Amino acid sequence: MTITIVPNLSAAQRAAANQLVAAVEAHDHTYREPYLSNQFNFSLTMPSFFLAYRADQLIGLLSLYTDGGAGTMADVFVLVHPECRRQGVATALWQAAKPVLLANGYTEWEFITEQVFLADYPEFLARTGLQADPETEYQMAAAAAQFPMPKQSPGRIRPLRAADVAALVPLYTAAFADQTPAAARNYLMRAIPDDQTLTYVYVLNQQLIGSCAVDISGVSDYFFSLFISADYQNQGLGTDMVRQIMAVRSAAAPKAFTLGVETNNPAALHVYANAGFKKQTEVVYLICPKKNNH
């Protein structure tokens, strides 16, 4: 077994990763896909992808995602081909990735899994020493279909432009309290040129009032960082924005749509349900006890 370490995936590596994702999901009945782009990682140069090969076959993948600097939490996603489990693949991937996190100042991390996986492997937490965070999220999905453009929309969507960023930053930081203006500006500027992520803004009466990003690098189109300004919430505008994006994307590529929402956020659950999304799986974050982090 060999491990290849890269900050970004090539087109061939991304295709192999998607094949691995499909094999794992079919075997485990899981749905949560890894983020296969490095666009929004805090560091664009830190290695983010660790690929385990046996001969020319990709048998394991570990991805790292960090949206903050040293000292913040890192997300770790590990996949191993069902035919190659209990052979030390996941351990080897983690042994390669952990020093990278520590060298870049990350001393806390969480592993992403699903409730169905933990139910099927009840010994997993005891065997690994990990603990499940009580705060979970639902992944919701809408099956691949041709979605019509809403007939009567109060606003309209369009791609994010560089000229939008200044007006969008204060709205973004108000919607996401953990984002500073500098981080928000950096995030939004990165969103413009990448061909693996599309970002749309929602315009009402010639005023920007919201935005949504769509990761198109995986098996499904994944919605994230969606918000409508607080002054315009509870008017159906979030649902309208989502429906418009679904219409545009379904016309371009026949893929399913997915998104994540905290289980204790009924308002967001209502918005997505109205747009046609249904609960697909419950995502669980596994935390290392402090004593095991080093």
Side-chain angles (χ1 to χ4, degrees):
M1 180 176 64
T2 60
I3 295 178
T4 299
I5 303 173
V6 293
N8 290 288
L9 296 178
S10 67
Q13 289 169 336
R14 186 176 293 110
N18 279 324
Q19 289 180 352
L20 176 62
V21 169
V24 169
E25 290 182 349
H27 181 272
D28 293 341
H29 308 291
T30 52
Y31 297 94
R32 182 66 155 82
E33 299 171 17
Y35 179 47
L36 297 180
S37 172
N38 189 31
Q39 179 187 11
F40 294 114
N41 265 358
F42 181 82
S43 171
L44 296 178
T45 57
M46 185 182 82
S48 297
F49 301 99
F50 302 75
L51 303 99
Y53 291 92
R54 183 166 293 159
D56 294 329
Q57 181 188 6
L58 180 66
I59 61 171
L61 169 71
L62 183 149
S63 67
L64 302 176
Y65 176 72
T66 58
D67 60 7
T72 61
M73 183 72 75
D75 287 342
V76 184
F77 202 113
V78 185
L79 293 174
V80 177
H81 195 283
E83 297 178 0
C84 302
R85 293 176 179 173
R86 298 297 181 95
Q87 299 176 27
V89 178
T91 298
L93 286 168
W94 179 234
Q95 287 176 344
K98 183 177 178 180
V100 171
L101 288 173
L102 293 174
N104 284 273
Y106 296 99
T107 58
E108 295 184 77
W109 40 77
E110 54 190 6
F111 295 86
I112 301 173
T113 188
E114 296 173 46
Q115 190 61 54
V116 64
F117 177 86
L118 296 178
D120 287 344
Y121 297 92
E123 82 291 349
F124 181 80
L125 293 181
R127 179 164 54 83
T128 60
L130 298 171
Q131 299 175 354
D133 189 324
E135 295 186 5
T136 62
E137 68 180 37
Y138 291 124
Q139 178 166 296
M140 304 182 73
Q146 182 65 58
F147 292 89
M149 184 66 71
K151 293 182 179 179
Q152 294 182 330
S153 292
R156 64 181 179 87
I157 64 165
R158 62 166 172 76
L160 174 69
R161 305 167 183 162
D164 298 327
V165 171
L168 206 56
V169 164
L171 303 181
Y172 192 91
T173 54
F176 304 105
D178 60 339
Q179 292 291 318
T180 65
R185 177 178 176 78
N186 182 53
Y187 171 89
L188 292 167
M189 290 302 296
R190 284 188 188 181
I192 298 170
D194 188 73
D195 61 355
Q196 296 299 318
T197 306
L198 306 175
T199 301
Y200 299 90
V201 295
Y202 190 77
V203 182
L204 180 67
N205 298 325
Q206 300 183 328
Q207 182 179 353
L208 297 181
I209 65 164
S211 73
C212 177
V214 186
D215 174 17
I216 63 173
S217 67
V219 176
S220 64
D221 278 3
Y222 187 83
F223 287 65
F224 65 101
S225 296
L226 185 154
F227 77 92
I228 291 289
S229 178
D231 293 339
Y232 295 91
Q233 293 178 5
N234 303 314
Q235 300 177 36
L237 301 180
T239 298
D240 184 54
M241 176 169 64
V242 171
R243 285 176 174 166
Q244 288 192 46
I245 296 173
M246 292 169 74
V248 171
R249 285 298 305 153
S250 66
K255 296 169 67 176
F257 296 102
T258 54
L259 54 82
V261 57
E262 294 176 352
T263 55
N264 61 356
N265 190 343
L269 286 166
H270 180 72
V271 167
Y272 302 134
N274 282 347
F277 284 79
K278 296 181 179 180
K279 294 176 185 176
Q280 186 181 58
T281 190
E282 186 172 1
V283 178
V284 181
Y285 294 88
L286 306 180
I287 303 170
C288 296
K290 292 280 187 180
K291 62 182 179 180
N292 290 341
N293 273 19
H294 300 288

